[in-house]
Amino acid sequence: MMKLSLGPILWFWSKQSVFDFYGKAAEWPVDTIYLGEAVCSRRRELKPDDWFDMARDLKACGKEVVLSTQTLIESEADLRRLRRICDQNEFMVEANDQSAVQVAARHNIPFITGPSMNLYNVASLKVLARQGLKGWNLPVELGKVSLEELIKGLRAEGLDLPAEVFAWGFLPLAWSSRCFTARHYNLPKDNCEFRCLEHPDGMELRSRESQELFRLNGISTLSGSRYDLMRELPDMERMGVSSVRLSPEHLGMDEVVKRFDQVRRGEAPATDPLQLVEAPPCNGYWYGKPGMELVGQGQSVP
Amino acid sequence: MELVCPAGSLPALKTAVDNGADAVYFGFRDSTNARQFAGLNFNDKRAGEGIEYAHSKGCRVFCAINTYPQPDGWEQWKGAVDRAAGLGVDAIILADMGLLDYAANKYPHIPRHLSVQGSATSYEALSFYKDNFDIRRAVLPRVLSLDQVRGVAKHSPVELEVFAFGSLCIMAEGRCYLSSYLTDESPNTRGACSPAKAVRWQETPQGLESRLNDVLIDRYGPGESAGYPTLCKGRFEVEGSVYHAIEEPVSLSTLDMLPKLKELGISAVKIEGRQRSPAYIADVARTWRHALDNMEARPDDYKVDPAWRNTLSGLSEGGLTTLGAYHRKWK
């Protein structure tokens, strides 16, 4: 049976909200939990030791815990945080940048790559396998055709590298040195007043025709529609996908997890995309279409 | 410091060489490079002619194969590396780890440069590429402040090339999927950002509208100059305000900080714009040649000639230039 994973929280939540969230997540039927700040170096509500403590608690609850690293590494301070995450021998690391691969490999820490690492072919996966890669996420802009080829290619090479797919949530699409939230409030990035805290699911960016295009979240830009591959789970199971990733939201996540769990167990039909925070669903990338599109809505699973 | 200029076509290549480029870079006429434009780029014959011309004038030639091959494209991308090697280029600019591995093993004697699309923003990332593929040089993404560039340069195991002038990409290059989210093509997959096939212009009672796969990117009032609808430079609504929520149409220019870049040990400055005309390339290459020569001759007394600034403003998006992320206050 495919594993369910909770990706790192991509938004900026208060310390208490984060503790509350994982307190509940400990009880959910998820197998793997990614912990840590993957977006912005200024988001430090939780100190490294807070994350380590939480990681141990969740591990004690039977969860596999992976420590996530920052996606855009720009400064010496970013590297210090990265080294701190790799300076342990209890947990795997989610590498979201080549810096993390380099540091993890040097510390002999096994790692999984997050969806922002550019892994488009088997040759690239082989390079990382030599460094200690234990699992990988499909880049979000790729779909099932490429994934199927990648899984087949890995098998042909005799490489056992479990594949994970970002299957639910707002897609992380871009990272910048500019903070778009600070920009909206006319604040310098270095003195952003942590306004992201006021937007626990980002800020909606709409076209002038009110089309929901993106969500601004500090230095990152996410999709305006929510990626939802619930109906595609049987497809993934058949292809040999090991794990599906659900990206945390601050409302209703327990329902999302419950529903995905039922579907992976074959206990419920994969219909009715979940609507929690209001946002249109999309699944275009999976079908080789523009990511924002929705293919086959309302049809039964093929 | 080396002046690296874009060559989108043979005439552009020759113009760049004639106007002072130390090196030019080109791509093949397909999606193996990150600037796939209709009618631009090179087939093998034209590339051969260009390389011969450049070499005869002492100019080096780099070939950019900097998109990410998916399984069904592997043979084609590998073939592009073979073609570049066969043509006798001075370096291959690569982004994909698999292709870097292939090139390092098959053509160890041909220098490998890490493309900006490889998205290396720290010296640890650079060390990864150096240790695994023995790259000689890396092009830094346009997301680092000057202080951050200093930090990277101090510990960098390889030569560094930075962007000097041209369109400003404000997302970490190689990690931006906004374009494929709207159109199915991105720089990584197809070498295209906001591809022309998805662009539509329309005069409406509200004004001239630009659309990308039917999404309204911008709407222009009377007399307002309209730019190409690169999606991150459109005007959108956030919490009731309509503005350039991601970035204004503006160009990057580092003319003012040349001595600083030299002091940091930067090996080369890169001009963006393989999609530009030979006339544009001529003006930009000549201006930067003057600036570099001037700086090399009198590094302590470098001053930007107002004439250079005028020339470059006339060639910039919206007539405006910025120091972009190099400027700490940039937001």
Side-chain angles (χ1 to χ4, degrees):
Chain A
M1 189 168 63
M2 282 190 295
K3 289 184 185 174
L4 286 184
S5 75
L6 267 187
I9 298 171
L10 300 176
W11 323 99
F12 194 27
W13 297 350
S14 69
K15 187 172 176 175
Q16 194 56 50
S17 307
V18 173
F19 281 130
D20 291 349
F21 180 82
Y22 287 115
K24 287 183 279 180
E27 310 291 322
W28 295 343
V30 291
D31 306 278
T32 308
I33 296 182
Y34 292 84
L35 288 182
E37 176 56 51
V39 177
C40 176
S41 59
R42 290 180 53 77
R43 297 176 174 179
R44 274 170 274 167
E45 286 273 293
L46 277 77
K47 304 282 175 278
D49 284 335
D50 295 329
W51 289 115
F52 284 126
D53 288 347
M54 197 146 55
R56 288 182 195 112
D57 289 349
L58 287 166
K59 191 176 176 182
C61 294
K63 305 300 184 193
E64 181 183 30
V65 176
V66 183
L67 301 175
S68 291
T69 59
Q70 205 173 298
T71 305
L72 188 56
I73 303 274
E74 295 179 305
S75 67
E76 196 63 46
D78 294 345
L79 287 174
R80 277 197 297 276
R81 268 189 296 279
L82 171 61
R83 290 183 189 121
R84 177 85 174 79
I85 291 169
C86 294
D87 191 16
Q88 46 85 28
N89 52 20
E90 297 170 78
F91 304 102
M92 280 207 283
V93 161
E94 181 193 47
N96 287 311
D97 176 77
Q98 262 79 8
S99 321
V101 173
Q102 181 78 355
V103 174
R106 193 158 64 223
H107 284 79
N108 287 317
I109 305 283
F111 64 91
I112 289 171
T113 51
S116 63
M117 283 283 280
N118 287 327
L119 290 166
Y120 288 83
N121 52 66
V122 173
S124 295
L125 284 158
K126 280 170 72 177
V127 168
L128 293 189
R130 298 201 293 262
Q131 310 289 316
L133 182 70
K134 295 292 175 231
W136 59 287
N137 270 266
L138 184 71
V140 295
E141 67 172 345
L142 294 187
K144 70 171 171 182
V145 172
S146 292
L147 178 59
E148 196 149 33
E149 289 297 312
L150 285 166
I151 291 174
K152 274 189 206 156
L154 286 172
R155 281 188 186 141
E157 296 277 349
L159 277 173
D160 177 28
L161 287 175
E164 182 167 297
V165 176
F166 188 107
W168 195 89
F170 295 99
L171 292 159
L173 295 175
W175 287 263
S176 176
S177 58
R178 164 169 290 182
C179 173
F180 306 109
T181 307
R183 176 176 166 85
H184 178 75
Y185 290 108
N186 232 347
L187 294 166
K189 179 180 160 193
D190 289 350
N191 187 16
C192 66
E193 299 176 1
F194 307 107
R195 293 294 184 95
C196 285
L197 281 170
E198 296 165 19
H199 302 279
D201 45 19
M203 301 172 84
E204 286 180 17
L205 180 151
R206 295 167 177 266
S207 76
R208 276 184 277 176
E209 294 173 318
S210 289
Q211 187 173 354
E212 292 167 285
L213 283 185
F214 301 120
R215 280 190 182 230
L216 302 179
N217 172 44
I219 65 154
S220 70
T221 308
L222 292 91
S223 60
S225 298
R226 187 187 284 111
Y227 204 47
D228 182 356
L229 297 185
M230 187 186 290
R231 293 184 323 116
E232 286 74 12
L233 286 192
D235 231 7
M236 291 187 215
E237 177 100 57
R238 176 186 56 75
M239 290 162 60
V241 169
S242 298
S243 183
V244 290
R245 174 178 291 212
L246 315 176
S247 190
E249 290 184 18
H250 75 301
L251 294 175
M253 207 59 207
D254 50 342
E255 283 301 316
V256 177
V257 171
K258 195 168 122 192
R259 185 80 176 148
F260 267 85
D261 183 45
Q262 287 171 338
V263 173
R264 73 168 164 164
R265 291 171 188 282
E267 291 167 6
T271 52
D272 304 330
L274 287 155
Q275 287 296 324
L276 300 165
V277 177
E278 229 173 272
C282 67
N283 60 13
Y285 276 140
W286 185 253
Y287 294 99
K289 307 264 188 204
M292 67 179 180
E293 288 186 4
L294 180 61
V295 177
Q297 176 72 328
Q299 294 169 7
S300 59
V301 178
Chain B
M1 278 192 296
E2 192 176 58
L3 177 61
V4 183
C5 290
S9 65
L10 188 55
L13 183 149
K14 289 181 174 172
T15 305
V17 172
D18 294 344
N19 284 280
D22 295 306
V24 292
Y25 62 99
F26 77 98
F28 292 119
R29 187 169 287 178
D30 55 28
S31 52
T32 61
N33 78 91
R35 285 287 185 276
Q36 193 189 190
F37 291 99
L40 287 184
N41 296 322
F42 289 70
N43 60 24
D44 291 28
K45 184 166 173 290
R46 301 286 267 179
E49 284 172 48
I51 292 164
E52 198 182 322
Y53 185 82
H55 284 173
S56 74
K57 308 257 175 165
C59 179
R60 302 202 293 158
V61 182
F62 308 152
C63 180
I65 304 171
N66 54 352
T67 48
Y68 289 87
Q70 292 167 59
D72 64 353
W74 180 251
E75 290 302 319
Q76 185 192 346
W77 267 254
K78 203 161 62 112
V81 173
D82 297 335
R83 288 161 67 194
L87 284 161
V89 298
D90 299 282
I92 308 179
I93 307 171
L94 296 156
D96 180 73
M97 289 182 279
L99 279 185
L100 277 159
D101 197 46
Y102 174 75
N105 284 315
K106 184 136 187 218
Y107 306 104
H109 60 289
I110 302 177
R112 290 162 294 287
H113 292 182
L114 181 69
S115 166
V116 67
Q117 298 296 125
S119 209
T121 51
S122 82
Y123 58 84
E124 292 285 10
L126 294 173
S127 297
F128 169 84
Y129 288 106
K130 171 73 176 168
D131 292 354
N132 286 284
F133 318 114
D134 197 23
I135 60 164
R136 176 173 296 184
R137 176 184 290 186
V139 186
L140 292 181
R142 281 162 276 189
V143 295
L144 300 175
S145 69
L146 197 63
D147 262 353
Q148 289 167 343
V149 174
R150 177 177 290 118
V152 173
K154 200 170 157 190
H155 303 284
S156 175
V158 298
E159 291 177 8
L160 296 178
E161 180 173 314
V162 301
F163 275 88
F165 184 77
S167 285
L168 178 64
C169 196
I170 64 157
M171 303 303 186
E173 291 102 323
R175 291 209 198 135
C176 177
Y177 316 122
L178 298 183
S179 178
S180 63
Y181 181 67
L182 260 67
T183 72
D184 89 350
E185 294 192 352
S186 77
N188 282 9
T189 56
R190 296 281 304 160
C193 173
S194 308
K197 66 161 193 182
V199 170
R200 192 155 58 85
W201 293 94
Q202 202 170 12
E203 278 292 354
T204 73
Q206 289 89 36
L208 177 65
E209 291 180 351
S210 60
R211 287 176 184 271
L212 199 62
N213 194 12
D214 280 339
V215 173
L216 182 63
I217 300 298
D218 214 338
R219 183 184 283 151
Y220 300 92
E224 234 186 335
S225 66
Y228 187 85
T230 308
L231 63 92
C232 62
K233 292 178 182 172
R235 273 177 289 197
F236 304 108
E237 188 234 299
V238 181
E239 304 219 311
S241 308
V242 173
Y243 62 111
H244 289 106
I246 301 178
E247 172 62 345
E248 285 91 5
V250 59
S251 291
L252 174 74
S253 175
T254 60
L255 206 51
D256 290 288
M257 54 171 63
L258 272 185
K260 285 223 173 83
L261 294 173
K262 183 183 166 69
E263 183 193 308
L264 299 185
I266 302 300
S267 302
V269 287
K270 185 182 197 99
I271 308 294
E272 187 272 353
R274 276 184 280 157
Q275 70 280 26
R276 305 291 187 165
S277 68
Y280 172 98
I281 303 295
D283 285 344
V284 176
R286 197 183 312 116
T287 304
W288 280 86
R289 182 75 273 155
H290 284 158
L292 281 168
D293 288 349
N294 191 286
M295 195 254 315
E296 300 287 357
R298 282 172 300 173
D300 298 328
D301 191 30
Y302 170 79
K303 284 190 194 67
V304 176
D305 185 331
W308 306 339
R309 215 188 290 281
N310 281 346
T311 304
L312 295 182
S313 311
L315 301 168
S316 300
E317 282 185 67
L320 296 171
T321 61
T322 174
L323 288 173
Y326 293 119
H327 199 310
R328 192 68 196 135
K329 289 199 168 51
W330 188 65
K331 61 175 176 62

mmCIF file with all atom_site columns, all heavy atoms in Angstrom, chain B residues 261-278:
data_model
loop_
_atom_site.group_PDB
_atom_site.id
_atom_site.type_symbol
_atom_site.label_atom_id
_atom_site.label_alt_id
_atom_site.label_comp_id
_atom_site.label_asym_id
_atom_site.label_entity_id
_atom_site.label_seq_id
_atom_site.pdbx_PDB_ins_code
_atom_site.Cartn_x
_atom_site.Cartn_y
_atom_site.Cartn_z
_atom_site.occupancy
_atom_site.B_iso_or_equiv
_atom_site.pdbx_formal_charge
_atom_site.auth_seq_id
_atom_site.auth_comp_id
_atom_site.auth_asym_id
_atom_site.auth_atom_id
_atom_site.pdbx_PDB_model_num
ATOM 1   N N   . LEU B 1 261 ? 32.556 43.989 -8.704  1.00 0.00 ? 261 LEU B N   1
ATOM 2   C CA  . LEU B 1 261 ? 32.517 42.606 -9.183  1.00 0.00 ? 261 LEU B CA  1
ATOM 3   C C   . LEU B 1 261 ? 33.943 42.095 -9.423  1.00 0.00 ? 261 LEU B C   1
ATOM 4   O O   . LEU B 1 261 ? 34.273 40.957 -9.111  1.00 0.00 ? 261 LEU B O   1
ATOM 5   C CB  . LEU B 1 261 ? 31.678 42.505 -10.461 1.00 0.00 ? 261 LEU B CB  1
ATOM 6   C CG  . LEU B 1 261 ? 30.181 42.810 -10.287 1.00 0.00 ? 261 LEU B CG  1
ATOM 7   C CD1 . LEU B 1 261 ? 29.476 42.862 -11.641 1.00 0.00 ? 261 LEU B CD1 1
ATOM 8   C CD2 . LEU B 1 261 ? 29.509 41.769 -9.388  1.00 0.00 ? 261 LEU B CD2 1
ATOM 9   N N   . LYS B 1 262 ? 34.758 42.968 -9.963  1.00 0.00 ? 262 LYS B N   1
ATOM 10  C CA  . LYS B 1 262 ? 36.147 42.577 -10.216 1.00 0.00 ? 262 LYS B CA  1
ATOM 11  C C   . LYS B 1 262 ? 36.865 42.293 -8.892  1.00 0.00 ? 262 LYS B C   1
ATOM 12  O O   . LYS B 1 262 ? 37.564 41.288 -8.754  1.00 0.00 ? 262 LYS B O   1
ATOM 13  C CB  . LYS B 1 262 ? 36.874 43.688 -10.984 1.00 0.00 ? 262 LYS B CB  1
ATOM 14  C CG  . LYS B 1 262 ? 38.309 43.327 -11.361 1.00 0.00 ? 262 LYS B CG  1
ATOM 15  C CD  . LYS B 1 262 ? 39.001 44.487 -12.050 1.00 0.00 ? 262 LYS B CD  1
ATOM 16  C CE  . LYS B 1 262 ? 40.510 44.267 -12.129 1.00 0.00 ? 262 LYS B CE  1
ATOM 17  N NZ  . LYS B 1 262 ? 40.889 43.193 -13.048 1.00 0.00 ? 262 LYS B NZ  1
ATOM 18  N N   . GLU B 1 263 ? 36.631 43.166 -7.935  1.00 0.00 ? 263 GLU B N   1
ATOM 19  C CA  . GLU B 1 263 ? 37.261 43.019 -6.617  1.00 0.00 ? 263 GLU B CA  1
ATOM 20  C C   . GLU B 1 263 ? 36.865 41.687 -5.962  1.00 0.00 ? 263 GLU B C   1
ATOM 21  O O   . GLU B 1 263 ? 37.650 41.059 -5.257  1.00 0.00 ? 263 GLU B O   1
ATOM 22  C CB  . GLU B 1 263 ? 36.797 44.200 -5.769  1.00 0.00 ? 263 GLU B CB  1
ATOM 23  C CG  . GLU B 1 263 ? 37.367 44.310 -4.388  1.00 0.00 ? 263 GLU B CG  1
ATOM 24  C CD  . GLU B 1 263 ? 36.551 45.335 -3.585  1.00 0.00 ? 263 GLU B CD  1
ATOM 25  O OE1 . GLU B 1 263 ? 36.374 46.478 -4.090  1.00 0.00 ? 263 GLU B OE1 1
ATOM 26  O OE2 . GLU B 1 263 ? 36.085 44.991 -2.484  1.00 0.00 ? 263 GLU B OE2 1
ATOM 27  N N   . LEU B 1 264 ? 35.643 41.240 -6.223  1.00 0.00 ? 264 LEU B N   1
ATOM 28  C CA  . LEU B 1 264 ? 35.190 39.967 -5.645  1.00 0.00 ? 264 LEU B CA  1
ATOM 29  C C   . LEU B 1 264 ? 35.797 38.766 -6.358  1.00 0.00 ? 264 LEU B C   1
ATOM 30  O O   . LEU B 1 264 ? 35.616 37.627 -5.942  1.00 0.00 ? 264 LEU B O   1
ATOM 31  C CB  . LEU B 1 264 ? 33.663 39.845 -5.726  1.00 0.00 ? 264 LEU B CB  1
ATOM 32  C CG  . LEU B 1 264 ? 32.825 40.895 -5.002  1.00 0.00 ? 264 LEU B CG  1
ATOM 33  C CD1 . LEU B 1 264 ? 31.345 40.540 -5.079  1.00 0.00 ? 264 LEU B CD1 1
ATOM 34  C CD2 . LEU B 1 264 ? 33.255 41.002 -3.561  1.00 0.00 ? 264 LEU B CD2 1
ATOM 35  N N   . GLY B 1 265 ? 36.444 39.033 -7.467  1.00 0.00 ? 265 GLY B N   1
ATOM 36  C CA  . GLY B 1 265 ? 37.067 37.932 -8.201  1.00 0.00 ? 265 GLY B CA  1
ATOM 37  C C   . GLY B 1 265 ? 36.154 37.279 -9.221  1.00 0.00 ? 265 GLY B C   1
ATOM 38  O O   . GLY B 1 265 ? 36.384 36.133 -9.619  1.00 0.00 ? 265 GLY B O   1
ATOM 39  N N   . ILE B 1 266 ? 35.115 37.993 -9.638  1.00 0.00 ? 266 ILE B N   1
ATOM 40  C CA  . ILE B 1 266 ? 34.214 37.453 -10.665 1.00 0.00 ? 266 ILE B CA  1
ATOM 41  C C   . ILE B 1 266 ? 34.986 37.347 -11.986 1.00 0.00 ? 266 ILE B C   1
ATOM 42  O O   . ILE B 1 266 ? 35.682 38.285 -12.390 1.00 0.00 ? 266 ILE B O   1
ATOM 43  C CB  . ILE B 1 266 ? 32.978 38.374 -10.847 1.00 0.00 ? 266 ILE B CB  1
ATOM 44  C CG1 . ILE B 1 266 ? 32.218 38.520 -9.516  1.00 0.00 ? 266 ILE B CG1 1
ATOM 45  C CG2 . ILE B 1 266 ? 32.090 37.885 -11.969 1.00 0.00 ? 266 ILE B CG2 1
ATOM 46  C CD1 . ILE B 1 266 ? 31.701 37.235 -8.930  1.00 0.00 ? 266 ILE B CD1 1
ATOM 47  N N   . SER B 1 267 ? 34.864 36.207 -12.653 1.00 0.00 ? 267 SER B N   1
ATOM 48  C CA  . SER B 1 267 ? 35.668 35.977 -13.865 1.00 0.00 ? 267 SER B CA  1
ATOM 49  C C   . SER B 1 267 ? 35.044 36.544 -15.132 1.00 0.00 ? 267 SER B C   1
ATOM 50  O O   . SER B 1 267 ? 35.746 36.861 -16.082 1.00 0.00 ? 267 SER B O   1
ATOM 51  C CB  . SER B 1 267 ? 35.857 34.470 -14.085 1.00 0.00 ? 267 SER B CB  1
ATOM 52  O OG  . SER B 1 267 ? 36.475 33.895 -12.974 1.00 0.00 ? 267 SER B OG  1
ATOM 53  N N   . ALA B 1 268 ? 33.718 36.610 -15.137 1.00 0.00 ? 268 ALA B N   1
ATOM 54  C CA  . ALA B 1 268 ? 33.063 37.013 -16.384 1.00 0.00 ? 268 ALA B CA  1
ATOM 55  C C   . ALA B 1 268 ? 31.733 37.686 -16.115 1.00 0.00 ? 268 ALA B C   1
ATOM 56  O O   . ALA B 1 268 ? 31.054 37.375 -15.133 1.00 0.00 ? 268 ALA B O   1
ATOM 57  C CB  . ALA B 1 268 ? 32.846 35.779 -17.267 1.00 0.00 ? 268 ALA B CB  1
ATOM 58  N N   . VAL B 1 269 ? 31.371 38.625 -16.991 1.00 0.00 ? 269 VAL B N   1
ATOM 59  C CA  . VAL B 1 269 ? 30.038 39.219 -16.921 1.00 0.00 ? 269 VAL B CA  1
ATOM 60  C C   . VAL B 1 269 ? 29.262 38.792 -18.166 1.00 0.00 ? 269 VAL B C   1
ATOM 61  O O   . VAL B 1 269 ? 29.804 38.727 -19.274 1.00 0.00 ? 269 VAL B O   1
ATOM 62  C CB  . VAL B 1 269 ? 30.075 40.762 -16.826 1.00 0.00 ? 269 VAL B CB  1
ATOM 63  C CG1 . VAL B 1 269 ? 30.535 41.197 -15.441 1.00 0.00 ? 269 VAL B CG1 1
ATOM 64  C CG2 . VAL B 1 269 ? 30.953 41.378 -17.895 1.00 0.00 ? 269 VAL B CG2 1
ATOM 65  N N   . LYS B 1 270 ? 28.006 38.492 -17.949 1.00 0.00 ? 270 LYS B N   1
ATOM 66  C CA  . LYS B 1 270 ? 27.198 37.910 -19.014 1.00 0.00 ? 270 LYS B CA  1
ATOM 67  C C   . LYS B 1 270 ? 26.089 38.861 -19.441 1.00 0.00 ? 270 LYS B C   1
ATOM 68  O O   . LYS B 1 270 ? 25.395 39.437 -18.600 1.00 0.00 ? 270 LYS B O   1
ATOM 69  C CB  . LYS B 1 270 ? 26.562 36.629 -18.463 1.00 0.00 ? 270 LYS B CB  1
ATOM 70  C CG  . LYS B 1 270 ? 25.785 35.828 -19.468 1.00 0.00 ? 270 LYS B CG  1
ATOM 71  C CD  . LYS B 1 270 ? 25.164 34.598 -18.791 1.00 0.00 ? 270 LYS B CD  1
ATOM 72  C CE  . LYS B 1 270 ? 24.748 33.580 -19.804 1.00 0.00 ? 270 LYS B CE  1
ATOM 73  N NZ  . LYS B 1 270 ? 25.716 32.506 -19.959 1.00 0.00 ? 270 LYS B NZ  1
ATOM 74  N N   . ILE B 1 271 ? 25.937 38.996 -20.739 1.00 0.00 ? 271 ILE B N   1
ATOM 75  C CA  . ILE B 1 271 ? 24.842 39.784 -21.290 1.00 0.00 ? 271 ILE B CA  1
ATOM 76  C C   . ILE B 1 271 ? 23.720 38.813 -21.661 1.00 0.00 ? 271 ILE B C   1
ATOM 77  O O   . ILE B 1 271 ? 23.961 37.808 -22.333 1.00 0.00 ? 271 ILE B O   1
ATOM 78  C CB  . ILE B 1 271 ? 25.296 40.545 -22.569 1.00 0.00 ? 271 ILE B CB  1
ATOM 79  C CG1 . ILE B 1 271 ? 26.567 41.345 -22.308 1.00 0.00 ? 271 ILE B CG1 1
ATOM 80  C CG2 . ILE B 1 271 ? 24.164 41.417 -23.111 1.00 0.00 ? 271 ILE B CG2 1
ATOM 81  C CD1 . ILE B 1 271 ? 26.435 42.491 -21.344 1.00 0.00 ? 271 ILE B CD1 1
ATOM 82  N N   . GLU B 1 272 ? 22.517 39.142 -21.230 1.00 0.00 ? 272 GLU B N   1
ATOM 83  C CA  . GLU B 1 272 ? 21.362 38.294 -21.548 1.00 0.00 ? 272 GLU B CA  1
ATOM 84  C C   . GLU B 1 272 ? 20.768 38.743 -22.881 1.00 0.00 ? 272 GLU B C   1
ATOM 85  O O   . GLU B 1 272 ? 20.894 39.917 -23.243 1.00 0.00 ? 272 GLU B O   1
ATOM 86  C CB  . GLU B 1 272 ? 20.337 38.445 -20.422 1.00 0.00 ? 272 GLU B CB  1
ATOM 87  C CG  . GLU B 1 272 ? 19.142 37.525 -20.501 1.00 0.00 ? 272 GLU B CG  1
ATOM 88  C CD  . GLU B 1 272 ? 17.976 38.067 -21.312 1.00 0.00 ? 272 GLU B CD  1
ATOM 89  O OE1 . GLU B 1 272 ? 18.017 39.256 -21.731 1.00 0.00 ? 272 GLU B OE1 1
ATOM 90  O OE2 . GLU B 1 272 ? 17.047 37.303 -21.559 1.00 0.00 ? 272 GLU B OE2 1
ATOM 91  N N   . GLY B 1 273 ? 20.147 37.842 -23.629 1.00 0.00 ? 273 GLY B N   1
ATOM 92  C CA  . GLY B 1 273 ? 19.397 38.302 -24.790 1.00 0.00 ? 273 GLY B CA  1
ATOM 93  C C   . GLY B 1 273 ? 19.641 37.604 -26.115 1.00 0.00 ? 273 GLY B C   1
ATOM 94  O O   . GLY B 1 273 ? 19.872 38.252 -27.125 1.00 0.00 ? 273 GLY B O   1
ATOM 95  N N   . ARG B 1 274 ? 19.542 36.280 -26.124 1.00 0.00 ? 274 ARG B N   1
ATOM 96  C CA  . ARG B 1 274 ? 19.697 35.594 -27.411 1.00 0.00 ? 274 ARG B CA  1
ATOM 97  C C   . ARG B 1 274 ? 18.532 35.861 -28.351 1.00 0.00 ? 274 ARG B C   1
ATOM 98  O O   . ARG B 1 274 ? 18.597 35.578 -29.536 1.00 0.00 ? 274 ARG B O   1
ATOM 99  C CB  . ARG B 1 274 ? 19.865 34.085 -27.186 1.00 0.00 ? 274 ARG B CB  1
ATOM 100 C CG  . ARG B 1 274 ? 21.295 33.716 -26.887 1.00 0.00 ? 274 ARG B CG  1
ATOM 101 C CD  . ARG B 1 274 ? 21.467 32.229 -26.771 1.00 0.00 ? 274 ARG B CD  1
ATOM 102 N NE  . ARG B 1 274 ? 21.043 31.748 -25.469 1.00 0.00 ? 274 ARG B NE  1
ATOM 103 C CZ  . ARG B 1 274 ? 20.668 30.500 -25.222 1.00 0.00 ? 274 ARG B CZ  1
ATOM 104 N NH1 . ARG B 1 274 ? 20.666 29.624 -26.188 1.00 0.00 ? 274 ARG B NH1 1
ATOM 105 N NH2 . ARG B 1 274 ? 20.318 30.145 -24.012 1.00 0.00 ? 274 ARG B NH2 1
ATOM 106 N N   . GLN B 1 275 ? 17.439 36.415 -27.764 1.00 0.00 ? 275 GLN B N   1
ATOM 107 C CA  . GLN B 1 275 ? 16.280 36.727 -28.592 1.00 0.00 ? 275 GLN B CA  1
ATOM 108 C C   . GLN B 1 275 ? 16.394 38.099 -29.250 1.00 0.00 ? 275 GLN B C   1
ATOM 109 O O   . GLN B 1 275 ? 15.534 38.508 -30.007 1.00 0.00 ? 275 GLN B O   1
ATOM 110 C CB  . GLN B 1 275 ? 15.010 36.648 -27.735 1.00 0.00 ? 275 GLN B CB  1
ATOM 111 C CG  . GLN B 1 275 ? 14.840 37.749 -26.689 1.00 0.00 ? 275 GLN B CG  1
ATOM 112 C CD  . GLN B 1 275 ? 15.647 37.517 -25.401 1.00 0.00 ? 275 GLN B CD  1
ATOM 113 O OE1 . GLN B 1 275 ? 16.670 36.838 -25.417 1.00 0.00 ? 275 GLN B OE1 1
ATOM 114 N NE2 . GLN B 1 275 ? 15.189 38.082 -24.306 1.00 0.00 ? 275 GLN B NE2 1
ATOM 115 N N   . ARG B 1 276 ? 17.489 38.813 -28.960 1.00 0.00 ? 276 ARG B N   1
ATOM 116 C CA  . ARG B 1 276 ? 17.622 40.194 -29.437 1.00 0.00 ? 276 ARG B CA  1
ATOM 117 C C   . ARG B 1 276 ? 18.240 40.281 -30.829 1.00 0.00 ? 276 ARG B C   1
ATOM 118 O O   . ARG B 1 276 ? 18.952 39.386 -31.266 1.00 0.00 ? 276 ARG B O   1
ATOM 119 C CB  . ARG B 1 276 ? 18.497 40.994 -28.470 1.00 0.00 ? 276 ARG B CB  1
ATOM 120 C CG  . ARG B 1 276 ? 18.023 40.973 -27.047 1.00 0.00 ? 276 ARG B CG  1
ATOM 121 C CD  . ARG B 1 276 ? 16.746 41.747 -26.876 1.00 0.00 ? 276 ARG B CD  1
ATOM 122 N NE  . ARG B 1 276 ? 16.395 41.851 -25.462 1.00 0.00 ? 276 ARG B NE  1
ATOM 123 C CZ  . ARG B 1 276 ? 15.504 42.694 -24.988 1.00 0.00 ? 276 ARG B CZ  1
ATOM 124 N NH1 . ARG B 1 276 ? 14.857 43.499 -25.803 1.00 0.00 ? 276 ARG B NH1 1
ATOM 125 N NH2 . ARG B 1 276 ? 15.242 42.724 -23.701 1.00 0.00 ? 276 ARG B NH2 1
ATOM 126 N N   . SER B 1 277 ? 18.026 41.449 -31.461 1.00 0.00 ? 277 SER B N   1
ATOM 127 C CA  . SER B 1 277 ? 18.516 41.665 -32.827 1.00 0.00 ? 277 SER B CA  1
ATOM 128 C C   . SER B 1 277 ? 20.017 41.946 -32.821 1.00 0.00 ? 277 SER B C   1
ATOM 129 O O   . SER B 1 277 ? 20.577 42.370 -31.804 1.00 0.00 ? 277 SER B O   1
ATOM 130 C CB  . SER B 1 277 ? 17.808 42.881 -33.419 1.00 0.00 ? 277 SER B CB  1
ATOM 131 O OG  . SER B 1 277 ? 18.237 44.043 -32.722 1.00 0.00 ? 277 SER B OG  1
ATOM 132 N N   . PRO B 1 278 ? 20.671 41.765 -33.984 1.00 0.00 ? 278 PRO B N   1
ATOM 133 C CA  . PRO B 1 278 ? 22.092 42.117 -34.075 1.00 0.00 ? 278 PRO B CA  1
ATOM 134 C C   . PRO B 1 278 ? 22.343 43.584 -33.726 1.00 0.00 ? 278 PRO B C   1
ATOM 135 O O   . PRO B 1 278 ? 23.362 43.903 -33.096 1.00 0.00 ? 278 PRO B O   1
ATOM 136 C CB  . PRO B 1 278 ? 22.427 41.835 -35.545 1.00 0.00 ? 278 PRO B CB  1
ATOM 137 C CG  . PRO B 1 278 ? 21.465 40.756 -35.935 1.00 0.00 ? 278 PRO B CG  1
ATOM 138 C CD  . PRO B 1 278 ? 20.198 41.074 -35.187 1.00 0.00 ? 278 PRO B CD  1
#
